[in-house]
Amino acid sequence: MTTRVWDYLQEYSEEKDDILDAVRTVLGSGQLVLGPAVRAFEEEFAAYHGLAHCIGVDNGTNAVKLGLEALGVTPGDEVITVSNTAAPTVVAIAGAGATPVFVDVREEDHLMDTDQLEQALSPRTRAIVPVHLYGQCVNMEPVLRFARQHDLAVLEDCAQAHGARHHGQVAGTFGDAAAFSFYPTKVLGAYGDGGAVVTDREDTNRALRQLRYYGMDKVYYVVRSPGHNSRLDEVQAEILRRKLRRLDRYIAGRRAVARRYAEGLHSLTGAGGLVLPTTSAGNEHVHYVYVVRHPRRDEILQRLRHYDIELNISYPWPVHTMSGFPELARPRIPLPRTERLAGEIFSLPMYPSLPWHVQEKVIAALHDVLSDQ
């Protein structure tokens, strides 16, 4: 059987009764859209973060887009973010009518280089979207300080960081609002698409609830301002409620997998060898993905296929190099680390129910491949 970076079937086998009960509960409730499951999940997810509000939406991309709109980002504005992120981050910024402005990333953790924020600033800058990549947090202190100095909104992209912490504070609780994805691969994943925005701001909460529902304010057919059709599904909300109770267990499982990789691959590190992920100071990593580096990445991936191992690259093309964004091809700030890392990184299998024998197979194959180089 081919080894891949993610698989949900083992987890589903273990949780099948609860997942199917969630579906039966919703289908028997008589309410299929914005019903009790969505309301309950919103309350529980907000409580997990110690915040006042959670607004469920249909996916993580719209969580970013609507979050920016609710924070006052309008066409013509600029939003500072990074290029080494999943394309939906930038798709959402562009969808809000804004222009993404990229800063480079740090060598050690691939996260936003906050020292470059000043260089990215212009009179059109309206917001910052720090991406908590791979399962750990951007250093938020300089982000927040810079945002306060220049009256900028901060929307955290937490799609890969459910439950991660920075100096003890959970991801998603630093900025004005935070966007989450519940795509099935996520640390907290649904059995389909889903997303949410969390915030302590009442004005942002009101704006988001209106934006996700055509721009209507409680009374159907009365549009207050143009909005979207972007609602979290009742079935997915009920499944997410059940899985939220297991989130800390999922995180513990991911950390156990990461420890086994660190132990099994340590001898392959060193000058010119495999570079393993590190946890930056003050962070508590949840290991959404386990991203390693090697200057001969492509050769390694090709050779691993002979062991029936298919691995991903997160992400092989920085967004500013994609043909769909020709207007971003010449970033305001050079991005040498972003571009170099894109040619070296690849992801090892990572999910809480990853069987030990599968992980052992990957570790052994890497030893074989790298010992020949």
Side-chain angles (χ1 to χ4, degrees):
M1 180 179 293
T2 301
T3 297
R4 296 185 172 87
V5 295
W6 178 77
D7 188 290
Y8 74 94
L9 291 175
Q10 179 63 37
E11 179 184 287
Y12 177 63
S13 176
E14 296 168 0
E15 301 181 359
K16 182 177 181 179
D17 290 345
D18 195 35
I19 299 303
L20 294 181
D21 183 66
V23 175
R24 287 191 293 268
T25 296
V26 172
L27 297 185
S29 71
Q31 291 184 266
L32 299 178
V33 178
L34 292 183
V38 168
R39 289 192 295 272
F41 174 72
E42 289 176 339
E43 291 173 3
E44 292 159 11
F45 198 64
Y48 180 90
H49 293 87
L51 297 175
H53 308 290
C54 169
I55 303 90
V57 296
D58 55 344
N59 56 63
T61 308
N62 278 336
V64 176
K65 179 184 176 185
L66 273 62
L68 289 172
E69 292 180 356
L71 291 171
V73 171
T74 59
D77 289 341
E78 292 181 351
V79 175
I80 300 173
T81 191
V82 291
S83 185
N84 73 321
T85 181
T89 304
V90 178
V91 169
I93 293 170
T99 299
V101 176
F102 300 123
V103 297
D104 209 352
V105 296
R106 307 195 310 180
E107 184 81 26
E108 63 272 25
D109 56 17
H110 312 183
L111 296 170
M112 174 180 278
D113 183 350
T114 59
D115 291 340
Q116 295 188 352
L117 291 173
E118 191 75 45
Q119 293 174 254
L121 186 69
S122 85
R124 295 167 55 197
T125 307
R126 180 68 186 86
I128 307 172
V129 177
V131 180
H132 300 317
L133 196 70
Y134 301 157
Q136 67 174 327
C137 296
V138 171
N139 183 9
M140 291 301 295
E141 289 86 345
V143 173
L144 297 173
R145 184 169 58 249
F146 184 82
R148 286 193 296 268
Q149 289 171 350
H150 299 282
D151 193 27
L152 305 177
V154 175
L155 176 72
E156 298 170 67
D157 184 339
C158 297
Q160 303 186 9
H162 308 73
R165 292 178 181 270
H166 180 60
H167 295 297
Q169 186 172 338
V170 68
T173 64
F174 293 92
D176 298 285
F180 288 84
S181 168
F182 304 121
Y183 188 74
T185 61
K186 304 303 183 185
V187 180
L188 178 63
Y191 278 72
D193 254 323
V197 181
V198 297
T199 183
D200 246 353
R201 292 177 46 164
E202 178 55 36
D203 59 341
T204 304
N205 171 56
R206 288 197 306 270
L208 279 163
R209 292 188 184 281
Q210 188 168 306
L211 281 167
R212 76 170 177 187
Y213 195 59
Y214 312 111
M216 297 176 184
D217 186 11
K218 296 182 181 179
V219 180
Y220 193 54
Y221 292 128
V222 179
V223 174
R224 304 298 181 187
S225 61
H228 309 270
N229 179 9
S230 178
R231 300 169 295 209
L232 178 61
D233 181 76
E234 274 287 289
V235 171
Q236 301 302 339
E238 184 61 29
I239 291 172
L240 288 166
R241 287 190 68 202
R242 313 291 182 98
K243 296 190 72 176
L244 179 59
R245 299 162 194 163
R246 298 187 283 270
L247 178 55
D248 291 343
R249 191 178 84 196
Y250 298 150
I251 292 170
R254 288 175 178 273
R255 287 173 175 159
V257 172
R259 284 193 299 270
R260 291 198 295 267
Y261 277 134
E263 293 164 1
L265 298 172
H266 176 72
S267 63
L268 299 177
T269 63
L274 197 66
V275 180
L276 303 182
T278 60
T279 300
S280 296
N283 277 348
E284 297 175 38
H285 209 310
V286 297
H287 298 287
Y288 166 60
V289 283
Y290 194 87
V291 175
V292 300
R293 293 170 53 193
H294 198 283
R296 298 180 182 174
R297 187 267 313 282
D298 293 343
E299 177 187 341
I300 292 169
L301 293 184
Q302 182 62 39
R303 294 187 64 188
L304 285 174
R305 293 190 183 99
H306 296 298
Y307 294 80
D308 211 15
I309 296 172
E310 294 279 350
L311 301 183
N312 287 353
I313 303 171
S314 301
Y315 300 92
W317 302 285
V319 177
H320 72 280
T321 70
M322 296 180 181
S323 61
F325 296 101
E327 71 281 6
L328 305 178
R330 296 183 179 179
R332 183 176 302 168
I333 301 171
L335 307 174
R337 290 188 292 274
T338 294
E339 292 171 0
R340 186 178 68 257
L341 288 170
E344 299 180 354
I345 56 178
F346 60 104
S347 303
L348 305 187
M350 170 57 74
Y351 47 96
S353 56
L354 178 66
W356 165 238
H357 73 272
V358 174
Q359 190 174 7
E360 196 171 40
K361 172 186 173 182
V362 173
I363 292 171
L366 283 168
H367 275 272
D368 286 349
V369 168
L370 293 174
S371 65
D372 292 342
Q373 294 190 348

